[in-house]
């Protein structure tokens, strides 16, 4: 009944502010955001490849050869170095993968709209947005160079909206918590 009394309004507001700031930065400086995405991807690939090499070299017992696992790690390091020297490789690859995911997700949601959703208004909204996802995915597959740029702008816009909503919710939550019964507040 008084679930909102337990929520931390300050944390919710701060997370909204952080999302808003990241969204504004991604929206205003999409090329820098793409550079950060590429750098982060390279770091993740290097960490995972290093882990595979270490696991492969110190592995004991039967099963897959430790040299095969270490070799896969070496391929990962080579891919990370290529991505570092040619960042457009990751941008194109990410564009194609995002496009394929959008096409698959959009087709599944169109199927859901046609078979599962019975409300006319909701079905039309789901079908329209899913059709848009399929078209956007097809564009990303055909023109992968621009896809990460558009995706970054989209994520930036989403984070701006999410941050504003989260901040407003946190501020409203602070006001609502003033109405919590004293006995409930003392319990906690």
């Amino acid at each position: 009944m008084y679930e909102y009394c337990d929520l931390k309004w300050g944390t919710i507001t701060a997370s909204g502010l952080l999302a808003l700031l990241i969204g504004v930065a991604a929206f205003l400086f999409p090329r820098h955001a793409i550079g950060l995405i590429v750098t982060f991807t390279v770091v993740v690939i290097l960490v995972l490849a290093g882990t595979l090499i270490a696991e492969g070299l110190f592995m004991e017992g039967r099963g897959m050869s430790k040299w095969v696992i270490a070799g896969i790690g070496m391929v990962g390091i080579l891919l990370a170095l290529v991505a570092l020297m040619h960042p457009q490789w990751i941008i194109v690859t990410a564009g194609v993968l995002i496009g394929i995911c959008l096409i698959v997700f959009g087709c599944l949601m169109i199927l859901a709209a046609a078979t599962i959703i019975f409300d006319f208004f909701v079905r039309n909204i789901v079908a329209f947005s899913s059709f848009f996802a399929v078209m956007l995915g097809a564009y990303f597959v055909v023109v992968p160079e621009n896809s990460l740029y558009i995706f970054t702008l989209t994520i930036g816009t989403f984070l701006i909206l999410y941050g504003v909503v989260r901040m407003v919710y946190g501020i409203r939550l602070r006001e609502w918590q003033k109405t919590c019964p004293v006995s409930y507040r003392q319990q906690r």
Side-chain angles (χ1 to χ4, degrees), residues 38-39 42 46 77-91:
V38 170
T39 304
V42 168
L46 284 173
I77 288 181
L78 290 175
L79 287 174
L81 293 176
V82 167
L84 194 57
M85 291 186 282
H86 302 286
Q88 68 273 15
W89 178 77
I90 283 185
I91 292 171

Side-chain angles (χ1 to χ4, degrees), residues 96-171:
V96 170
L97 291 175
I98 291 169
I100 291 170
C101 289
L102 282 172
I103 291 170
V104 169
F105 176 74
C107 289
L108 290 174
M109 288 308 294
I110 288 172
L111 180 67
T115 58
I116 297 172
I117 302 172
F118 297 111
D119 183 75
F120 180 76
F121 182 70
V122 174
R123 181 185 323 159
N124 286 337
I125 289 175
V126 170
F128 176 75
S129 62
S130 301
F131 181 73
F132 179 73
V134 170
M135 292 295 105
L136 188 62
Y139 175 76
F140 283 5
V141 169
V142 174
V143 189
E145 303 85 31
N146 294 335
S147 59
L148 203 55
Y149 179 77
I150 293 169
F151 188 71
T152 304
L153 290 176
T154 305
I155 293 296
T157 303
F158 170 77
L159 285 173
I160 290 170
L161 294 173
Y162 175 78
V164 168
V165 168
R166 191 92 171 144
M167 287 174 54
V168 168
Y169 177 65
I171 292 168

